[in-house]
Amino acid sequence: MSYGAILGLVMLASHIFEQCAVIYGGTMGWYSVMGIEYIVAIVVYIWMLYRFAKSYSLEVMAQQSDVKMFSFSRAYGFIVSVSSLSGVIVGLGRYILHNLVIGHSEYTQAMISSLQAILKANPETAAMMGTYNQMFAQLAAQPEPTILQTVFSSVWSYFLASAIVALVIAAVVKKEPNIFEKNNSEE
């Protein structure tokens, strides 16, 4: 439980930084910083999942008295559940930030203004501004999402990400008994 909370708080801090960089920075330099931070957040996310799964596997194996093992399926389930819990925390934080602190219409307008400034600075996109403006009008007309929609979308994205990452991490942290150990010691 605490592993998911720690991961969720770290990922929420990353999300808040990214949103502030887009909304309040809104320049190509801030988008570049946000891109670098996003890559760092992915690496930290994977590293934390690995460290938590390794720590959990050692705890489970310490509690076992006879055959020391930690299965792939147990590691996989642990990683997915930790990541899903962190998705709940990030979703709640997103809802509070976007809808209560900033306000849905202000947040949407700030995102649109930021993107329009970036697009206007790029001469290749000037011809496409009519299409972009139509897309921005549709974005501005979107209703405010409910707290359940926000949390569910966050949990779903963290679930999917962890379902892929957990395949590798669970294979690395699993510990299975050595079936040839007794034969080697007899010889």
Side-chain angles (χ1 to χ4, degrees), residues 101-168:
V101 174
I102 298 173
H104 177 69
S105 59
E106 291 82 7
Y107 171 77
T108 305
Q109 211 40 51
M111 289 295 289
I112 291 170
S113 298
S114 174
L115 291 171
Q116 284 174 333
I118 295 297
L119 291 172
K120 285 180 182 175
N122 189 355
E124 289 87 28
T125 60
M128 296 288 296
M129 281 310 287
T131 306
Y132 287 126
N133 286 335
Q134 185 179 29
M135 182 182 67
F136 293 146
Q138 289 175 346
L139 182 62
Q142 291 295 315
E144 180 177 331
T146 66
I147 190 167
L148 289 176
Q149 289 171 324
T150 306
V151 170
F152 180 76
S153 75
S154 180
V155 169
W156 183 246
S157 64
Y158 276 84
F159 173 80
L160 289 178
S162 67
I164 295 167
V165 170
L167 291 171
V168 175

Side-chain angles (χ1 to χ4, degrees), residues 40-102:
V40 170
I42 291 171
V43 170
V44 168
Y45 170 77
I46 293 170
W47 178 79
M48 287 180 79
L49 282 177
Y50 168 74
R51 295 299 300 164
F52 292 158
K54 182 131 177 117
S55 175
Y56 180 68
S57 73
L58 295 174
E59 289 173 18
V60 168
M61 288 178 49
Q63 295 171 357
Q64 297 171 348
S65 58
D66 50 351
V67 178
K68 305 278 187 187
M69 69 174 289
F70 186 70
S71 68
F72 175 87
S73 60
R74 190 163 186 181
Y76 189 86
F78 172 79
I79 293 164
V80 170
S81 64
V82 164
S83 184
S84 296
L85 176 61
S86 72
V88 171
I89 293 170
V90 172
L92 288 172
R94 272 179 42 195
Y95 182 81
I96 291 168
L97 176 68
H98 296 178
N99 298 338
L100 302 178
V101 174
I102 298 173

